[in-house]
Amino acid sequence: NERFVREVAGFPVPVIAGIGHEKDVPLAALAADAMVSTPTAAAHCIGSSWDEAFERVRAFTAIIDKVETHLERAAERMSMLWNEITDAFQEAAENIHRQLASAERTALLNDPLRQLHLGYSITRRDGRIIKNSGGLKLGEVLETQFEAGRIRSRVQ
């Protein structure tokens, strides 16, 4: 039947033709997507393709499980590394804070203005601090700085 053959050829779902043990090949079998010799062979063909499909699904499921396991392990390692990085950063920040505090104490203890506050003075000749009297000459003008004020004097 020509109409039947056209329906088989245009059918949107794959068609397996297993018409029978005939020696002639029916036109519907030629129009089908696959042709087997008997209805039993057609059932076997369909069954084996489902078995293959189930096997592929099992294989893909195993792959997905492996990927999930790898992703979970990677997430755990990332979390561990993140914790190590934040701990190291915090330790470095605390170390820097301690060093800055120490440097601040050192700067405060060595501040010349602190020395002036303790009663010491700083004497300069031409803007340079005088550390001993050995190089002074008679008549040179010196400037002495105190905590509150300055005086000018002459070497005699």
Side-chain angles (χ1 to χ4, degrees):
N1 181 329
E2 178 186 347
R3 186 168 178 216
F4 179 72
V5 172
R6 289 187 184 278
E7 284 294 321
V8 169
F11 204 67
V13 177
V15 175
I16 299 174
I19 297 176
H21 299 279
E22 299 181 16
K23 293 182 181 180
D24 295 332
V25 178
L27 291 175
L30 294 174
D33 295 292
M35 175 176 56
V36 291
S37 61
T38 64
T40 303
H44 179 70
C45 182
I46 291 172
S48 67
S49 65
W50 280 107
D51 290 342
E52 288 176 26
F54 284 132
E55 190 55 41
R56 285 185 182 167
V57 167
R58 279 188 219 112
F60 286 134
T61 302
I63 291 171
I64 290 171
D65 289 344
K66 285 181 183 178
V67 168
E68 285 178 347
T69 301
H70 286 297
L71 288 174
E72 287 171 1
R73 286 181 186 157
E76 288 172 6
R77 285 196 339 246
M78 291 288 289
S79 178
M80 228 172 57
L81 288 172
W82 179 254
N83 289 338
E84 288 177 13
I85 288 170
T86 54
D87 290 348
F89 182 78
Q90 184 173 359
E91 185 178 330
E94 289 170 359
N95 190 24
I96 289 170
H97 184 267
R98 282 191 300 275
Q99 288 175 351
L100 286 174
S102 176
E104 182 182 24
R105 278 191 307 277
T106 302
L108 288 174
L109 291 174
N110 294 313
D111 182 7
L113 297 177
R114 179 180 177 275
Q115 302 302 319
L116 294 175
H117 179 70
L118 294 174
Y120 293 93
S121 62
I122 301 172
T123 302
R124 294 180 177 89
R125 176 183 61 201
D126 298 326
R128 293 188 178 155
I129 295 176
I130 298 173
K131 296 182 182 178
N132 62 54
S133 63
L136 296 176
K137 296 179 185 167
L138 290 174
E140 283 186 307
V141 176
L142 306 177
E143 181 179 82
T144 302
Q145 178 183 354
F146 301 95
E147 179 182 20
R150 298 171 185 252
I151 61 165
R152 290 176 65 94
S153 58
R154 189 175 305 273
V155 176
Q156 294 186 344

